[in-house]
Amino acid sequence: MTSHTLLASGLSAGYGDAVVLDGLDIAIPPARITVIVGANACGKSTLLRTLSRLLPARRGKVLLDGKSIHHLPSRELARTLGLLPQSPIAPEGITVADLVSRGRHPHQGVFSRWRREDDEAVAAALAATKTEDLSERPIDELSGGQRQRVWIAMALAQQTDLLLLDEPTTFLDISHQIEVLDLLTDLNQTRGTTIVMVLHDLNLAARYADHLVAMANGRLHVAGRPEEVLTEENVRRVFGLESRIITDPTSGRPTMLPIGRHRMIGKDRTSPLEDGIKS
């Protein structure tokens, strides 16, 4: 496994007239797990799409091993960098096995035939995501959680050194969320795969990240070790939420406890609705 450098400088991108990323700078640590967090619409998904060349940058640059990502041949890029976007769409009627097999396309030339290595990569991806028993079923018949695991299998079958995943735990119950995050950690530790993923759960992000990135308003707000990034001040600035940060007794990583208006020890507070009724 080769360690690759991926960075963006002065990056601006968006959709139509809307600017989502605005002068963003980021460097992805090679052979590590980077998790990106932030409030809705802060640009997390747009960043992954731009880093993968799925969305063109309006200004700035994305460099893969010092070369502009926009100048690399598509097949060469696909053998190095894989992207699992948010809410991907499968061709109608395609089976699980066929979809996962598509992850092998970058490794095949124009005239090359399907090889034993391709079969092995697909089988390993299905086994890792526990989707072997679904292999002959159409994607259309699967639940949301099953589909998500199949998409992850396709990304694993691509066997890239860099893997970008946009909310890979979407639609998964908590046990499958942990399974997927453990699987990605195994991939990072055994093969040295650089993982970049967007997560909504701050506590899972802090538990699994080597490098935690918090975004706000289309820019990088803070990045570093989870202990440096997941602080009460940063949660307040990025999410507009009051919280308490404690140490997770299982992982030793920081854990965020949100503070709301209800269910607080020693507090007897009424809601604005109740106040309005009383007045």
Side-chain angles (χ1 to χ4, degrees), residues 112-135:
S112 65
R113 302 175 64 181
W114 190 263
R115 303 160 301 167
R116 186 176 70 179
E117 302 96 284
D118 299 315
D119 280 327
E120 291 173 349
V122 170
L126 290 169
T129 53
K130 299 183 178 179
T131 52
E132 310 107 299
D133 59 334
L134 305 175
S135 61

Side-chain angles (χ1 to χ4, degrees), residues 37-51:
V37 299
N40 290 340
C42 72
K44 302 183 296 294
S45 297
T46 302
L47 174 59
L48 287 196
R49 290 168 61 87
T50 311
L51 288 177

Side-chain angles (χ1 to χ4, degrees), residues 155-170:
L156 296 181
Q158 195 172 338
Q159 292 186 327
T160 57
D161 296 334
L162 267 159
L163 187 55
L164 280 55
L165 306 105
D166 194 353
E167 298 183 33
T169 56
T170 297

Side-chain angles (χ1 to χ4, degrees), residues 19-207:
V19 176
V20 180
L21 302 180
D22 185 16
L24 182 143
D25 299 318
I26 188 171
I28 303 299
R32 308 292 278 174
I33 296 177
T34 295
V35 180
I36 302 171
V37 299
N40 290 340
C42 72
K44 302 183 296 294
S45 297
T46 302
L47 174 59
L48 287 196
R49 290 168 61 87
T50 311
L51 288 177
S52 66
R53 203 172 74 180
L54 192 61
L55 181 69
R58 295 183 178 181
R59 290 189 304 277
K61 55 190 177 182
V62 178
L63 300 179
L64 178 61
D65 296 332
K67 300 176 183 178
S68 172
I69 201 169
H70 297 285
H71 297 157
L72 295 174
S74 296
R75 192 172 293 272
E76 177 184 337
L77 178 62
R79 284 195 295 262
T80 303
L81 187 152
L83 170 69
L84 176 61
Q86 189 180 111
S87 302
I89 300 175
E92 186 175 354
I94 192 171
T95 66
V96 168
D98 286 340
L99 182 65
V100 176
S101 296
R102 293 193 174 199
R104 300 302 301 161
H105 287 183
H107 299 277
Q108 298 174 342
V110 178
F111 301 107
S112 65
R113 302 175 64 181
W114 190 263
R115 303 160 301 167
R116 186 176 70 179
E117 302 96 284
D118 299 315
D119 280 327
E120 291 173 349
V122 170
L126 290 169
T129 53
K130 299 183 178 179
T131 52
E132 310 107 299
D133 59 334
L134 305 175
S135 61
E136 299 306 317
R137 291 181 60 183
I139 295 291
D140 302 340
E141 296 180 0
L142 303 183
S143 69
Q146 289 172 327
R147 290 188 193 189
Q148 191 68 5
R149 285 189 285 142
V150 170
W151 282 111
I152 292 171
M154 189 188 77
L156 296 181
Q158 195 172 338
Q159 292 186 327
T160 57
D161 296 334
L162 267 159
L163 187 55
L164 280 55
L165 306 105
D166 194 353
E167 298 183 33
T169 56
T170 297
F171 304 120
L172 301 181
D173 59 42
I174 186 61
S175 65
H176 283 116
Q177 289 181 43
I178 298 301
E179 281 185 7
V180 165
L181 294 173
D182 281 345
L183 170 62
L184 294 173
T185 301
D186 291 340
L187 193 65
N188 167 258
Q189 293 180 351
T190 60
R191 300 186 69 234
T193 305
T194 300
I195 305 286
V196 185
M197 56 182 162
V198 169
L199 291 179
H200 273 299
D201 190 311
L202 289 181
N203 294 331
L204 287 180
R207 173 176 287 201

